[in-house]
Structures are given as structure tokens and as C-alpha cells.
Amino acid sequence: IHSIFGLVVKNAGQLRKALPAIESRLGKLPAFLAEGAGCVRLPVPLWTGLAVQTCEGAETFLSALEKTLAPLARQPARLARLCADARAAFRKYAAAIQRKKPGPKNGFSIGRENFELMMRERLGLDWTLDEAEATGYRLIAELEAELKKEARKFGPAPARKIIAQAAAAWKPAADTLLAEYDATTREMRAAFEDAELMTFPTGDELRVMPVPDFLRHQFPTAAYLNPGPYEKKQVGIFWVNDLSELRKTAADKAREVEQHFGLELTCAHEAYPGHHLQFVTQNRHRSVLRRHFAHSIYYEGWTLWCEKMCVDRRIFRAKHARLLQLSDALWRAWRIVIDCGLHSGKLDYAAACRLLQKGAGFTKARAEGDVNWYSSSPTVPMSYLLGRLELEKLHAELTGRRGWSLQQFNDWILSFGALPWSWIWRSTLHGTPLPR
């Protein structure tokens, strides 16, 4: 369903041309889902619940898709049949997996040995799980101390209360959160370009769009979908998840909107100069293999570096900017602890959600959205802050000791593609230069 949605998004101006490919995928959906259901053994209960929600969202999407495509179809009746069969296939799939004998409640946990292997192979870190967890707790303590120091500039209240009060008083300037994100994204790109902190791509496109229903429960406030490595037209999608639309009372709606306070940092992270700029640059690498590299410690470390530059270089000038940036970094430090806990078996799903609510001040819905993907992406949640710290080691060496400018440094690290920072460090600075 994601691949069909991708066709719709990327061919929004010429859906008639994309219709044959869309119909082809619709036609293959029933057999694909039936075969998939047959492969499921002892499903993780959490993932079964998420899959059922996805199936319900997929039906909503397919109904909307049919209405959009019907005027363009040469054979409307055929399109209607394909969509009806696909919707029925999702209902059958949801029913089939719910009938399966469930596996262990914490069946998503991959265990200590596998987790440590993935840290070495995915993150380039030769650490034990205990070392990673201890690093997470150390970073939490350091960031909480920094937050307290920054909060004292605003009075005696703790940082979280100051941020909560500022968020409650904040109202988006635009009519909708989506429009606010769109306008802010353009402002952030212009500000970073004016500051000349890195080289910007040309000919790319970024679309700010609402998260579709079938993906809503998988994302926190926002996310990014990068273009393919060989696509001539580099179109990225910046998803915005406005959970206030699902709430009934005015108070609940307002609380969800408040979760987007400081969205300037989110725009710097997901769009410019974060994920979108990095992936578009990587997708033009002269090595066709490098375009495929996707080590999260690199691309997530880069995005947190962008958030920090956003504040340090006064791109984001609001009086609460540094407080928000430190608070977001603290959230990523908690991710290290939760990542280790979930996959070592120390934490179950509910405990992980409570830690995010207590440690980062999330709503229950936002915490669940985060932990849902933590459960299926071991070592990715921890890679954000650890990646920024690894990047900062390179920054200290090249700008501090070798006198590089920040633009020279940023362009240099963007030239590699998404490799672990330790590989770049060892191969380039302390060994044979790594070809770029």
C-alpha cells in the first residue's frame, strides 16, 4: 500500500500516466496479502495490533484513491473491482493474523547478542549493551543539568514547566499545522542558505504532506520519506502527523498541537538542511553503491547536528530555542536507554512508553507512536544522539585543529554517503583516504 501511495504522491500532477502501474499493484495485492498471512507464525501481539490498524487505514486510503482515480480511468468498473478486492484482502489479512496463536508479548526483543552485533555492523560501535545503556544514562544526567542551567534564565520553574507554559501559549501563525510546517520549512532553507553553512542542491523538490491514515500510528509528530537513489526527479516527502484531528475535546486537541511547539527544529531535522538535503546529496554520489548506504548513525547524527547548528548559529532565534534543543536532545538520550531496554528484555512496551512520558514529557499517544517503531528498528533510536556525538569528534578535529570552515566541514561529511562515522574517522583521518 505504501508503494501505491508513493506512486500517487510522486505522480500527483499526472495520475493518468501512473494509473496502469497503480492498477497493476492493486491487482497483485490480494495474492500478496494472502501469501503473507500464510507466512505468519507466532506473531508479536504489538505488531498484530499495529498491522490491524494499518489494514483499517489502508481501506480508508483505497476508498479515497478510487474516488480520485475514477474520472481518469478508461475502465471505471475495472478500477472499482480492483479497489474492492484490495479492501477485502486487507480485511481478510487482518482477520487471519488475529486468528493466529500469538507469540510472546515481548517477542520483538532481539536479545543482547544480536543487539551488540547490530551496534557493530550498523553503527560502527564496538560496545556492549551495558556500555551503551550506561552512556545513555550519563547523557541523560548531563543534559538534565544543562537544561536546569538554561531554565534558570527564565526563573525558578523547571525546564519542562517553562516549555509547557510556552507551548500552551503558542498558536501556529498559519490556519493549520500543515501550513505552518510548509511555511517554516521554506523559511529554514532560506536562512541556512543565507548563512552559507553548506552547499544546497538544485533541482530537488520537497512536499510537506499530512501522514496518511494507514501510517498515522507509526509516526510521532513528523517524519521524512526520501527519494529513490536513481530517481531523476528527486522528490522528498515531509510527513506531518497532526494527532489533534483525532481528538474530540478542545483540551485534548490543544494538548496535541502543543506537541509541535518548536517545529523549527523539526523542519531543520526532517527537511533543510537535515534528511532531505542529505539524501538528495547522497543520491547524486558518483558511486552507485554509495547511494544505497543507509547507516542511521550517520543520517540521524547529521540531523541532530542540524538542530544544534540551528540554535548555535541563531537560525532559530526564539527565546526558548536552546531550551527546546536541549529538551529534544534529552528525548534522544532516553531513546538510547529505551532501545537497550526493549531489546535486552529489561523493558516491556508499557514501561518504555512510561519512560518517554516521564522522561521526555510526551503525551501517551506520542510516546506510543515512538515506541511502536522502536520495537521493530533495534539500534536506530539510539543512533540519533550517539551519531551527533561521533560527528562532533570529527568537527573538533577538522575545524578546531585543522582550521576548516564550517561550510567546508559540512560539505566534506555530506560527500561520503551514509557511512558510520567511525569508518570515516579511521579510514580518512587515520589511515588510507576513503574514496568519495
Side-chain angles (χ1 to χ4, degrees):
I1 199 72
H2 204 176
S3 70
I4 293 172
F5 186 78
L7 283 173
V8 173
V9 169
K10 292 177 180 180
N11 295 278
Q14 48 182 0
L15 280 176
R16 191 186 302 275
K17 182 179 178 181
L19 189 55
I22 294 171
E23 290 182 334
S24 174
R25 294 183 192 192
L26 285 170
K28 293 172 182 176
L29 252 172
F32 177 81
L33 289 174
E35 186 176 354
C39 293
V40 175
R41 299 287 185 275
L42 300 176
V44 176
L46 170 64
W47 293 350
T48 299
L50 295 177
V52 169
Q53 290 181 57
T54 299
C55 290
E56 292 170 352
E59 286 197 60
T60 302
F61 166 69
L62 288 168
S63 295
L65 179 68
E66 182 181 353
K67 291 178 182 178
T68 300
L69 296 179
L72 307 176
R74 292 181 179 178
Q75 300 180 53
R78 179 174 181 269
L79 174 66
R81 187 186 73 252
L82 288 170
C83 288
D85 289 348
R87 287 192 294 269
F90 275 106
R91 287 194 294 274
K92 290 177 182 177
Y93 181 85
I97 61 174
Q98 290 180 91
R99 287 195 299 268
K100 302 278 184 176
K101 179 182 177 181
K105 186 177 180 181
N106 283 4
F108 50 76
S109 176
I110 65 171
R112 176 183 297 269
E113 184 177 350
N114 286 328
F115 193 81
E116 291 175 349
L117 171 65
M118 292 179 74
M119 280 197 291
R120 290 193 297 273
E121 297 300 315
R122 288 187 171 185
L123 308 187
L125 300 175
D126 192 15
W127 292 2
T128 66
L129 185 145
D130 292 336
E131 288 172 330
E133 186 177 54
T135 298
Y137 278 117
R138 175 179 60 80
L139 291 168
I140 287 168
E142 290 175 358
L143 286 163
E144 285 180 339
E146 285 191 68
L147 269 169
K148 286 180 181 178
K149 183 179 178 181
E150 183 68 18
R152 283 198 289 270
K153 297 177 182 178
F154 298 90
R160 188 176 299 171
K161 185 174 182 180
I162 294 168
I163 293 173
Q165 289 174 341
W170 171 74
K171 296 292 184 290
D175 292 337
T176 65
L177 267 176
L178 188 69
E180 186 77 5
Y181 271 95
D182 187 52
T184 304
T185 294
R186 287 185 271 107
E187 291 169 4
M188 296 303 290
R189 170 166 181 156
F192 270 100
E193 280 190 294
D194 289 345
E196 297 183 341
L197 298 182
M198 68 281 297
T199 301
F200 276 73
T202 57
D204 64 297
E205 183 180 348
L206 181 65
R207 297 176 185 169
V208 182
M209 302 183 66
V211 170
D213 287 344
F214 68 91
L215 287 176
R216 235 175 178 163
H217 56 286
Q218 299 282 5
F219 290 159
T221 51
Y224 174 73
L225 175 64
N226 55 292
Y230 306 124
E231 292 179 6
K232 290 183 179 180
K233 190 176 182 181
Q234 290 288 296
V235 180
I237 308 298
F238 182 3
W239 301 120
V240 175
N241 195 8
D242 183 1
L243 292 172
S244 69
E245 295 177 351
L246 306 180
R247 305 295 172 249
K248 294 182 179 179
T249 69
D252 287 342
K253 287 179 180 290
R255 182 147 169 72
E256 291 298 345
V257 170
E258 289 169 18
Q259 296 287 306
H260 296 263
F261 177 58
L263 58 83
E264 290 85 353
L265 294 175
T266 307
C267 294
H269 181 114
E270 303 292 354
Y272 298 106
H275 281 315
H276 182 67
L277 184 148
Q278 186 268 312
F279 276 110
V280 168
T281 301
Q282 178 174 320
N283 288 348
R284 291 169 177 169
H285 201 289
R286 65 173 178 264
S287 166
V288 295
L289 293 178
R290 286 289 185 84
R291 299 182 189 188
H292 282 283
F293 281 39
H295 292 267
S296 61
I297 196 166
Y298 178 97
Y299 58 76
E300 299 299 1
W302 166 254
T303 55
L304 254 64
W305 174 244
C306 293
E307 290 185 30
K308 192 169 186 297
M309 283 192 293
C310 197
V311 175
D312 291 350
R313 296 285 165 164
R314 295 187 57 76
I315 303 295
F316 180 28
R317 296 171 177 264
K319 65 179 182 178
H320 295 96
R322 178 161 171 74
L323 203 62
L324 286 165
Q325 187 256 319
L326 289 170
S327 178
D328 284 351
L330 177 62
W331 159 32
R332 276 42 175 257
W334 277 109
R335 277 183 171 176
I336 300 170
V337 171
I338 294 171
D339 204 359
C340 292
L342 282 174
H343 294 289
S344 66
K346 291 182 180 180
L347 291 175
D348 62 15
Y349 175 83
C353 291
R354 287 195 297 271
L355 272 184
L356 268 184
Q357 289 175 266
K358 184 178 179 181
F362 281 14
T363 62
K364 186 173 185 290
R366 186 179 178 188
E368 289 175 348
D370 246 29
V371 176
N372 286 347
W373 74 263
Y374 294 3
S375 72
S376 60
S377 304
T379 74
V380 176
M382 72 187 321
S383 67
Y384 287 66
L385 189 53
L386 295 180
R388 197 194 82 190
L389 296 177
E390 291 290 300
L391 187 158
E392 286 175 344
K393 293 178 185 177
L394 285 167
H395 178 258
E397 172 69 25
L398 295 173
T399 64
R401 297 179 185 175
R402 304 195 186 187
W404 287 22
S405 70
L406 184 53
Q407 181 179 23
Q408 182 182 7
F409 172 74
N410 284 333
D411 286 349
W412 181 75
I413 59 176
L414 284 169
S415 72
F416 286 96
L419 299 168
W421 300 109
S422 62
W423 297 6
I424 297 173
W425 177 275
R426 289 195 299 266
S427 300
T428 307
L429 302 181
H430 298 286
T432 303
L434 191 65
R436 296 198 293 277

